[in-house]
Amino acid sequence: MRMLINVPETVVADALRGMAAAHPELAVDVENRVIVRRDAPVARKVGLVSGGGSGHEPLHGGFVGPGMLDAACPGEVFTSPVPDQMARAAAAVDSGEGVLFIVKNYTGDVLNFDMAAELAEDEGVRLAKVLVNDDVAVTDSLYTAGRRGTGATLFVEKIAGAAAEEGAPLERVEAIARQVNESARSFGVALSACSTPAKGSPTFDLPSGELELGIGIHGEPGRERRAMMTSREIADFAVNAVLEDLAPSGPVLALVNGMGATPLLELYGFNAEVQRVLAERGVAVARTLVGNYVTSLDMAGCSVTLCEVDEELLRLWDAPVQTAGLRWGR
Amino acid sequence: MLDADFFRRWLSAAAAAVNREADHLTELDSAIGDADHGSNLQRGFAAVTAVLEKEAPQTPGAVLTLAGRQLISTVGGASGPLYGTLLRRTGKALGDAAEVTPGQLAEALRAGVAAVAQLGGAKAGDKTMLDALEPAVEALGESTASFAAAREAAEQGALATVPLQARKGRASYLGERSIGHQDPGATSSALLVATLAEVAS
């Protein structure tokens, strides 16, 4: 095992203690595993809470702060948090204007957030939920648990976060979050499997010279394995897969996301190819974000997310954000 | 008759079995999931053992309800709510009787399994824990001394998930590539039924 850890059992708690030390602007409850912006609850503001398994950093804790999330609940590695965490987070960020749960579509996340919603509503918190399910690699959702939530989560959290920061009411923040999800699609590829701390070795065997197409963010294999392709070929494949499902009439936000072990040198090179395909397909790109945002531990590979935006969504995207993982405009 | 102590012994035996089999469950999960089923259940059942010692509930229903709530609060993932619901709803169905018959337990387990099916939106054949639990409950319900039959049915059910294509949970994303692997959830369910048979014998 080549990991910078003590023992697998304390990986999440250790990371939270380190995060607290690095970010005094966050209130990190290590024992109950809730990360809250220190000024929460913000008066007259809808609270945004998200969460999911650890191992996807900076998602979600790295997106807590002004202009994005009010709280995040990290679960064990690749395991959704428990309902008690979300209920606690909801109570901590509710100013009386209500709370929006942003949930990625995985069975565990959905079940735990549903149970948390019941608990929070019992405590008198007005709740709304939005389900993120942007992954076009899941084609036959009739026979699966439905499309996974991947890169679009960042767009939903940023844009809905900006709307909430402006003082939009819960119904409006929820509607914007849904609009972003419905306008966004993703496709991911893996060049290597990742190693979870609990297992200590790669979660699946991917020989060098091969790649997995259509992966999620949990170190699971994709839908198809092929001989290694060039950056150019991967970009063609991934962008075309997204555009088979999303026919944008206006400009898009583009996210070229690293899975954790792919250097920026490669990601920027890949982005050049993504932009080329988009230009060839006549898709205008309003903004581009390149980096490791929705990761899968030490997996090598990348995902592409496109989100069609109107003037309102673009304005909210450009609005100031100040978090550990995403920061601009203030 | 089965009293609170019987259910405490069952859950304690289950915790020991989960400990023993954690690596195996995680190995099965790494093939079609995300390699944490064993460690997640280990964490949950350790918490169950601890809370049952601390609070010592006095009826079978209270033991199972408390254990279920503890699983929901500590496991996370899909298995936390699903196993938590199984125990909690089984416990609720037992009511506040001080002792229950195996037949009453069979009926209560049927209610618990139905709640799991409803929560997960799954049915037998989807390659989930239901593939072990449903046949076990059927076998248990057929006669009063059928814990061994339930164990056998659950183990056969878990084995029968190998050729199935997963339609629920994370394994469903593999499509046809999920075929040929035993479902970790069905395997851990068979383990729980096996420990029930052990404690009853």
Side-chain angles (χ1 to χ4, degrees):
Chain A
M1 186 192 295
R2 282 190 203 171
M3 283 184 196
L4 188 58
I5 64 171
N6 294 315
V7 289
E9 291 74 21
T10 63
V11 163
V12 176
D14 292 345
L16 289 178
R17 286 190 294 114
M19 189 175 193
H23 297 284
E25 72 278 17
L26 298 174
V28 181
D29 180 344
V30 177
E31 191 192 342
N32 295 301
R33 300 199 173 179
V34 184
I35 301 161
V36 182
R37 59 185 272 190
R38 205 170 268 290
D39 56 352
V42 181
R44 291 180 294 283
K45 178 187 170 309
V46 169
L48 262 65
V49 174
S50 192
S54 293
H56 307 303
E57 293 71 23
L59 189 78
H60 295 274
F63 297 149
V64 174
M68 219 160 161
L69 297 176
D70 292 83
C73 308
E76 285 294 321
V77 172
F78 291 171
T79 300
S80 77
V82 300
D84 314 44
Q85 288 170 267
M86 292 83 123
R88 195 178 283 267
V93 306
D94 183 28
S95 69
E97 295 296 320
V99 171
L100 178 70
F101 280 169
I102 298 169
V103 187
K104 298 190 301 307
N105 189 31
Y106 295 96
T107 310
D109 292 273
V110 171
L111 295 182
N112 284 285
F113 269 99
D114 278 354
M115 292 191 164
E118 271 183 46
L119 295 176
E121 279 163 349
D122 285 351
E123 298 299 312
V125 178
R126 202 156 55 93
L127 257 177
K129 279 178 292 181
V130 62
L131 197 65
V132 183
N133 57 350
D134 55 310
D135 180 13
V136 300
V138 182
T139 50
D140 54 351
S141 60
L142 212 58
Y143 301 105
T144 67
R147 284 185 169 183
R148 297 173 285 218
T150 60
T153 315
L154 179 146
F155 289 144
V156 172
E157 292 177 0
K158 169 66 186 77
I159 293 172
E165 203 71 43
E166 287 185 354
L170 182 60
E171 294 68 27
R172 179 71 188 137
V173 176
E174 179 191 0
I176 286 173
R178 280 187 206 289
Q179 185 191 346
V180 173
N181 178 57
E182 282 158 17
S183 309
R185 302 283 191 282
S186 298
F187 189 88
V189 302
L191 311 185
S192 79
C194 64
S195 300
T196 60
K199 186 157 183 277
S201 56
T203 51
F204 61 93
D205 179 40
L206 182 55
S208 80
E210 296 185 15
L211 84 171
E212 287 276 347
L213 294 168
I215 54 149
I217 55 173
H218 293 98
E220 65 269 63
R223 290 300 295 262
E224 194 187 333
R225 181 172 291 189
R226 286 200 188 178
M228 190 57 206
M229 297 152 74
T230 62
S231 174
R232 181 183 188 87
E233 290 164 340
I234 295 171
D236 279 320
F237 195 96
V239 174
N240 285 326
V242 168
L243 291 179
E244 259 175 45
D245 210 88
L246 180 76
S249 51
V252 298
L253 306 175
L255 168 64
V256 169
N257 173 61
M259 302 308 297
T262 293
L264 275 174
L265 179 76
E266 293 173 39
L267 291 180
Y268 276 121
F270 180 67
N271 181 49
E273 299 297 342
V274 167
Q275 303 288 327
R276 171 190 57 78
V277 192
L278 289 170
E280 285 169 8
R281 296 286 305 264
V283 177
V285 180
R287 303 287 184 272
T288 301
L289 189 64
V290 179
N292 294 290
Y293 292 102
V294 183
T295 60
S296 194
L297 294 172
D298 61 341
M299 179 181 268
C302 58
S303 60
V304 177
T305 305
L306 301 178
C307 177
E308 182 178 0
V309 286
D310 55 20
E311 268 180 35
E312 169 80 344
L313 293 194
L314 187 57
R315 185 182 66 74
L316 292 168
W317 174 254
D318 285 340
V321 57
Q322 189 174 0
T323 69
L326 201 67
R327 182 181 292 244
W328 59 67
R330 63 177 265 173
Chain B
M1 293 295 278
L2 313 170
D3 60 6
D5 188 53
F6 171 85
F7 288 93
R8 277 198 291 270
R9 279 187 287 128
W10 171 33
L11 292 170
S12 148
V18 164
N19 256 335
R20 200 174 60 233
E21 294 292 320
D23 287 349
H24 178 225
L25 294 173
T26 290
E27 197 59 45
L28 292 176
D29 192 29
S30 81
I32 56 173
D34 57 357
D36 62 4
H37 191 56
S39 49
N40 283 346
L41 286 188
Q42 225 173 354
R43 185 173 63 249
F45 276 92
V48 165
T49 311
V51 78
L52 287 179
E53 272 175 25
K54 204 175 97 197
E55 298 193 18
Q58 291 305 305
T59 65
V63 169
L64 293 181
T65 310
L66 179 63
R69 209 171 61 224
Q70 191 69 1
L71 288 179
I72 291 170
S73 290
T74 53
V75 177
S79 45
L82 291 170
Y83 275 118
T85 294
L86 174 69
L87 296 189
R88 218 169 59 85
R89 293 294 283 272
T90 302
K92 277 186 174 249
L94 289 176
D96 49 13
E99 293 184 324
V100 299
T101 64
Q104 286 169 324
L105 174 59
E107 273 313 297
L109 272 172
R110 194 187 298 278
V113 172
V116 169
Q118 196 192 3
L119 182 65
K123 53 188 190 312
D126 284 345
K127 200 173 178 112
T128 71
M129 51 198 276
L130 291 175
D131 289 318
L133 291 177
E134 285 193 353
V137 166
E138 289 310 312
L140 191 60
E142 275 168 14
S143 81
T144 51
S146 52
F147 285 109
R151 172 189 192 148
E152 176 66 21
E155 275 163 12
Q156 290 305 318
L159 285 175
T161 61
V162 173
L164 298 178
Q165 177 171 337
R167 295 193 167 186
K168 289 288 165 186
R170 210 163 274 169
S172 69
Y173 297 120
L174 299 188
E176 289 179 1
R177 295 170 76 182
S178 63
I179 294 171
H181 300 279
Q182 187 169 325
D183 182 60
T187 309
S188 57
S189 285
L191 198 61
L192 292 195
V193 177
T195 54
L196 180 62
E198 244 169 65
V199 173
S201 68

